[in-house]
Structure formats: C-alpha cells, structure tokens
C-alpha cells in the first residue's frame, strides 16, 4: 500500500526554510483498539511568541528550545560549535561512552530500513519518513562525511555543500529531532549488523549540551544540576527527604499493620538501597513496600542521608557524559563512606543501567562497589520462603511492562516474571514482551517533559504503541467493572503510563491502573493488612 503523501519527506527538504517541516496528521496515526478506536484531535498549536523566539519549525511540537540566532555571526557560530562537537564524538579521548557503536552505525549502516519496522515512534506516527531511525542518522552521517571525515570534500570547514545544506537551521532541526527518539535501542536489536541509530540521537544531544550549552530544562537545570547542587532532583535537601521518609514509614505502618522504620546511615550494612527520587514524591507506597519487604525478610540494609545517596536518578545518561560522570561518582562515594557490601537500586531502569554497565570505566578502585538491580533479590526473597504470601490477594488481571533499560539493554528478563507468576494468578503477557518489548514512550527522559504541547506528542505518538499493547493485553476484560493492573517496575515508565492512562481516562473507561512490582508483593503478604493496593484510593 502506498504511503499517504503527507508522510513523505526527503533528506533534501530538511534544511529548507518553512513554517513547519512535517505535520503528523491525526488521520494517519496508528489505529487503536477499543475503547480508543476513534480519531485523535488536532494538535494544540505552538504560540506565535514561541515560534519567534525558538527554532520551532520541525514538526507539531517543541522540546529543546533552541534560540533563534540574532545575526549571521551567531548562525555561523552555532554551526562551528556543532561541527567541533561532532569531530570530538569520533575521538577516543573525547568519547569514552559510545564511540564504538557510533562509528559502526555511521560507517556501516546499509539503509535497509529493517530498523524502521521495529520503531514504535515511526509506526505510531503513521510511518512518517522523518521518524525513521535512519532519517536522522543519514543527515548526521552526511554532515560527518562531508565536513569532518578526512575524505570529506569540505573537511573541517562549514561551507555549504554536499546533499545536505549545512546551515544553522539544519543544525537546529537536527538537535530538535534528536529529541524525537526514546533511545530504547529496539532498532539496534533488529538490525542485521547491529547498527544503533538511537545512539546517534543520544550523541547529537550530547553535542548540543556539551558544546553548545543547549539542553532541556527538565534534564539539566531542574534535573542533574539541581541534583548535584541540593542532592535530590526535585530540590529537597537531605533533612526534608528524611522527614518525608519518616512520614511514609508512619503512613505505611498504619496501612500494613507493621511497625516500619527505615534505617539510615548504617555502617557496614549488607545493602545500600537507593530509590528513584520520583517514588518519594509521587509513589510513597513503593517506598513503603520496599521497607516492608526488606524488614520482613530480616535483611541488613540501610539508606544514606548523604546528598545524592537517596536519589538514584542520573539524567546525564540521556544527554551529557560530564553530568553522567559527576552524578554516578557521587552515588558511589556515598556507598563507599558507609562501607556497604553492595548497592541495590530500586525500581528505576535508567539509574540501574547507568551504574551497572555504563559507569565501569570511571568506577575504579574503591569506588568499584558491587551493585545490582532489585529484581534478582526480590525473586530470591519471594521464592526462598522468607516472605509469607497468598497469591489469591492478587486475583485480578495483571500484565507486565518491560522497562527498556533493564530488559532489552541489560538482559534482566526473568526475575520479575518469576515473582509475578508466583503471586499473580491472572497474569498475562503483553505482545511482544521481554527483550522485544516496546518502550513506554517516556524513555530517555520524555516522561518528565511537558512544556509547550510536548505532552500531546508523548500521548499521541511515543506512548501510542505501549498503550495499544496494554489495551490488547486486557482485551478479554476491557470493561471498567474488571479492575486491572499494569506492573511497571520503573519510575520513569510509571510516570509515562500514569500520564497516558489519565489522559485517555482509562481508569474510568476501562478499569486500568498501574504500579510497581513491590506493591504486588506486599499486597500478597499475609503478615500485613489486606488491600495494600486499594482500588478505592485510585478512584
């Protein structure tokens, strides 16, 4: 079947001045099943003052807020700095994180488009050419080959040339387009030669942050910078965090019937537990569930009141190597100070991956402290008999979302499934699942972005495929009378799923709610009061 005309976009169009390069027509978006089998509304338009201030001519939304140059000199400086940053991406001493997959992708992509069929954003958009994983990468590749590579015709100059017109507009649109990828790396998994177009998106973001000083407020100013300054990415200092945890202990003690008490700064403990900051603010029942489980199992554990020691977020993973390194070193210095045997990361995919498989080259010597995801430990506790469990307490339909960073990118596939299968008699898998899962649509930091109308883009496009999976998993009981639970054991994923379920009113219209894995465990524990998952509270 031929593609609709408004989903086509050539590479040569990318640098052409226009009000909007591409429009995602709601009529072309991927169809949804009941109860969302209806046409999406048109996009909320960007404000005129926004379009005058920022480069806002890529598509229907805006996230990076790249200021429009005010002179020819500023235009030239933007291009010069971008090329300088791209050159550094291909230097071993300047790119210790993703040099090898970047080079492999740029040098060897066969443009077979196998990756397009694996991309949830491309599919959800109605297969718009601009959202192909290779579209962004091919523009980047041609700039690199023409202006940076030794064989390029204009090596180390910024003159116009080649098939891609190199102008400030091209550079700015490429930066904005790097924030239309969840960096879930499903494209790399499907590629016959392992080319990783999502890494290209991440490295473009890095150039904008480290060379041009352009980053999103959510990831940088209110994210990693605030975290490094105060200790917590929401701005709470250690004293306020401890007060909040104390309140959670009291509240969850009443809810469970147990006397819960979080241990702080316990020297030589077996485990330092580091939560995602979002749980403390938005999902205190997740914090309380960990405490109930660890306390019931008799574990020797602690939390750290040191700045950053209680917030495992590391947004640098999504956009900036320098910020990434600063944060991860702080995390492990907190563990080193307490002399714990290992670090266990709570339900947070990106933080676990950041510390376990990206930070190896900087966590050396005494900082190379053993660390692990919470899932293998939870499996051990559930299957080992240290917790008394009654699966009938979870006698409602449950499906499992696989966080990309934990499952596809780390291979932690089975432990959480083993737990759910033991305690949830009505568990059903999404299709596909495991390493073939689809991103929640909030990956690479999108879940915390809602400026302008970007939240609409998260709902209509990046989260569309995951929502379709959820609806299909519950298709046999989609009526609101049957209460259903999406287990999303990652804070970032929970935020996205919370927002998209709320946007489409799916609690009222389909009886679908969400939560983490530990809440299901505590809900099944016979030593606590019944109904830890309280459906009436959701209403």
């Amino acid at each position: 079947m031929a593609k609709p005309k408004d989903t086509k976009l050539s590479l040569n169009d990318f640098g052409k001045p226009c009000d909007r390069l591409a429009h995602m027509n709601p009529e072309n978006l991927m169809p949804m099943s009941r109860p969302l089998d209806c046409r999406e509304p048109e996009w909320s338009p960007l404000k005129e003052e926004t379009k005058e201030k920022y480069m806002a001519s890529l598509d229907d939304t805006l996230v990076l807020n790249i200021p429009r140059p005010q002179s020819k000199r500023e235009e030239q400086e933007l291009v010069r700095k971008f090329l300088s940053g791209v050159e550094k991406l291909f230097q071993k001493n300047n790119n210790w994180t993703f040099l090898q997959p970047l080079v492999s992708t740029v040098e060897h992509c066969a443009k077979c488009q196998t990756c397009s069929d694996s991309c949830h954003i491309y599919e959800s958009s109605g297969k718009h050419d601009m959202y192909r994983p290779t579209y962004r990468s091919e523009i980047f590749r041609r700039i690199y080959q023409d202006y940076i590579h030794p064989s390029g015709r204009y090596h180390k100059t910024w003159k116009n040339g080649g098939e891609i017109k190199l102008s400030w507009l091209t550079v700015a649109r490429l930066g904005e387009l790097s924030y239309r990828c969840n960096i879930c790396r499903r494209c790399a998994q499907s590629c016959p030669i392992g080319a990783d177009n999502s890494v290209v998106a991440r490295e473009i973001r890095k150039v904008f942050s480290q060379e041009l000083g352009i980053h999103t407020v959510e990831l940088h100013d209110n994210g990693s910078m605030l975290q490094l300054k105060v200790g917590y990415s929401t701005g709470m200092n250690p004293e306020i965090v401890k007060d909040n945890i104390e309140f959670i202990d009291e509240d969850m003690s009443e809810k469970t019937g147990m006397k819960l008490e979080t241990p702080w700064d316990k020297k030589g403990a077996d485990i330092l537990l580091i939560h995602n900051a979002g749980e403390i603010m938005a999902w205190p029942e997740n914090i309380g569930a960990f405490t109930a489980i660890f306390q019931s199992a008799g574990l020797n554990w602690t939390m750290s009141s040191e700045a950053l020691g209680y917030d495992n977020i590391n947004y640098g993973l999504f956009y900036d190597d320098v910020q990434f390194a600063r944060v991860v070193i702080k995390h492990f210095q907190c563990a080193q100070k307490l002399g714990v045997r290992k670090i266990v990361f709570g339900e947070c995919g990106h933080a676990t991956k950041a510390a376990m498989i990206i930070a190896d080259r900087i966590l050396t010597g005494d900082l190379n402290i053993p660390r692990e995801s919470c899932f293998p430990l939870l499996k051990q506790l559930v299957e080992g008999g240290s917790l008394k469990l009654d699966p009938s307490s979870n006698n409602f339909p449950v499906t499992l979302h696989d966080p990309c960073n934990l499952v596809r990118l780390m291979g932690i596939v089975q432990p959480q499934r083993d737990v759910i299968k033991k305690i949830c008699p009505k568990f059903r898998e999404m299709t596909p699942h495991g390493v073939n899962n689809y991103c929640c649509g909030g990956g690479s930091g999108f879940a915390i972005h809602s400026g302008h109308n970007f939240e609409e883009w998260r709902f209509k496009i990046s989260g569309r495929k995951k929502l379709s999976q959820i609806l299909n998993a519950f298709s046999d009981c989609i009526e609101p009378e049957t209460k259903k639970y999406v287990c999303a054991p990652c804070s970032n994923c929970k935020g996205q799923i919370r927002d998209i379920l709320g946007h489409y009113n799916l609690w009222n219209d389909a009886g679908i709610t969400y939560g983490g894995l530990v809440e299901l465990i505590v809900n099944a524990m016979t030593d606590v009061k019944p109904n830890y998952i309280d459906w009436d509270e959701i209403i």
Side-chain angles (χ1 to χ4, degrees), residues 34 396-400 426-430 467-479 482-487 501 510-513:
R34 191 167 63 95
F396 44 84
V398 175
T399 192
L400 174 65
K426 293 186 178 180
F427 170 63
R428 72 275 309 281
E429 291 277 17
M430 294 185 193
L467 184 56
S468 176
Q469 284 190 283
I470 292 171
L471 294 177
N472 290 335
F474 294 132
S475 61
D476 64 326
C477 54
I478 201 64
E479 293 74 19
T482 302
K483 308 311 177 189
K484 299 167 282 291
Y485 188 95
V486 180
C487 179
L501 291 178
I512 303 174
T513 190

Side-chain angles (χ1 to χ4, degrees), residues 254-274:
E254 183 177 346
K255 190 169 187 177
T256 61
M258 300 173 60
K259 174 60 178 174
L260 300 181
E261 187 173 354
T262 298
W264 289 97
D265 301 320
K266 189 175 179 181
K267 297 272 189 179
D270 292 336
I271 295 170
L272 170 63
L273 176 63
I274 310 182

Side-chain angles (χ1 to χ4, degrees), residues 168-210:
W168 82 268
L169 184 58
T170 302
V171 170
R173 281 177 173 166
L174 188 59
E176 184 69 26
L177 187 54
S178 71
Y179 283 86
R180 299 298 185 274
C181 172
N182 281 128
I183 315 183
C184 75
R185 303 178 79 175
R186 198 171 190 269
C187 57
Q189 179 174 273
S190 70
C191 178
I193 62 171
D196 194 339
N197 288 290
S198 61
V199 160
V200 175
R202 195 267 181 186
E203 296 299 90
I204 294 170
R205 295 185 186 186
K206 184 166 74 180
V207 170
F208 271 81
S209 180
Q210 295 183 191

Side-chain angles (χ1 to χ4, degrees), residues 444-460:
S444 78
F446 285 178
I448 60 170
H449 290 75
S450 58
H452 305 297
N453 63 354
F454 188 71
E455 199 172 47
E456 288 183 40
W457 191 86
R458 283 202 285 128
F459 300 153
K460 292 180 181 179

Side-chain angles (χ1 to χ4, degrees), residues 289-441:
F290 267 103
T291 303
I293 292 167
F294 281 22
Q295 191 169 303
S296 294
L299 301 184
N300 178 16
W301 68 289
T302 188
M303 287 184 64
S304 169
S305 65
E306 194 82 11
L308 276 81
Y310 41 76
D311 178 9
N312 66 26
I313 283 173
N314 192 338
Y315 289 149
L317 179 70
F318 302 141
Y319 79 105
D320 190 304
D321 287 350
V322 176
Q323 294 298 95
F324 167 85
R326 288 170 174 164
V327 170
V328 80
I329 288 172
K330 288 284 189 180
H331 282 150
F332 280 74
Q333 284 176 337
C334 294
Q336 181 188 43
K337 184 175 181 179
L338 289 175
V340 297
R341 293 181 60 187
K342 66 180 178 182
I343 302 173
V344 171
F345 291 91
E347 295 185 4
C348 181
H350 88 269
T352 306
K353 186 184 79 170
M356 289 186 65
I357 63 174
I358 306 296
D360 288 358
R361 299 179 192 178
I362 54 177
L363 295 175
T364 58
D366 292 341
L367 285 181
N368 190 20
I369 299 167
R371 57 271 195 192
E372 65 180 40
S373 160
C374 62
F375 297 140
L377 176 60
L378 293 173
K379 169 183 164 70
Q380 177 185 338
L381 297 179
V382 166
E383 294 185 342
S386 56
L387 302 175
K388 297 178 181 178
L389 301 165
D390 178 9
S392 67
S393 297
N394 290 332
N395 194 32
F396 44 84
V398 175
T399 192
L400 174 65
H401 164 65
D402 290 295
C404 299
N405 283 303
L406 287 164
V407 179
R408 177 165 40 257
L409 305 182
M410 293 184 67
I412 303 175
V413 180
Q414 201 58 38
Q416 59 271 37
R417 281 181 163 73
D418 292 341
V419 170
I420 287 184
K421 288 176 181 178
K422 190 172 180 64
I423 63 173
C424 299
K426 293 186 178 180
F427 170 63
R428 72 275 309 281
E429 291 277 17
M430 294 185 193
T431 303
H433 55 267
V435 297
N436 295 313
N437 72 311
Y438 284 101
C439 179
C440 65

Side-chain angles (χ1 to χ4, degrees), residues 147-166:
Y147 298 89
I148 302 297
H149 195 278
S151 64
R153 289 167 288 170
Y154 303 97
H155 179 47
K156 295 183 181 177
T157 74
W158 65 275
K159 297 177 183 178
N160 291 340
E163 296 182 32
I164 302 297
K165 180 180 179 181
L166 186 55

Side-chain angles (χ1 to χ4, degrees), residues 18 54 127 159 173 220 241 244 291 345 356 420 445 498:
C18 60
Y54 302 115
K127 299 188 175 181
K159 297 177 183 178
R173 281 177 173 166
H220 188 74
V241 168
N244 273 266
T291 303
F345 291 91
M356 289 186 65
I420 287 184
R498 171 199 60 197

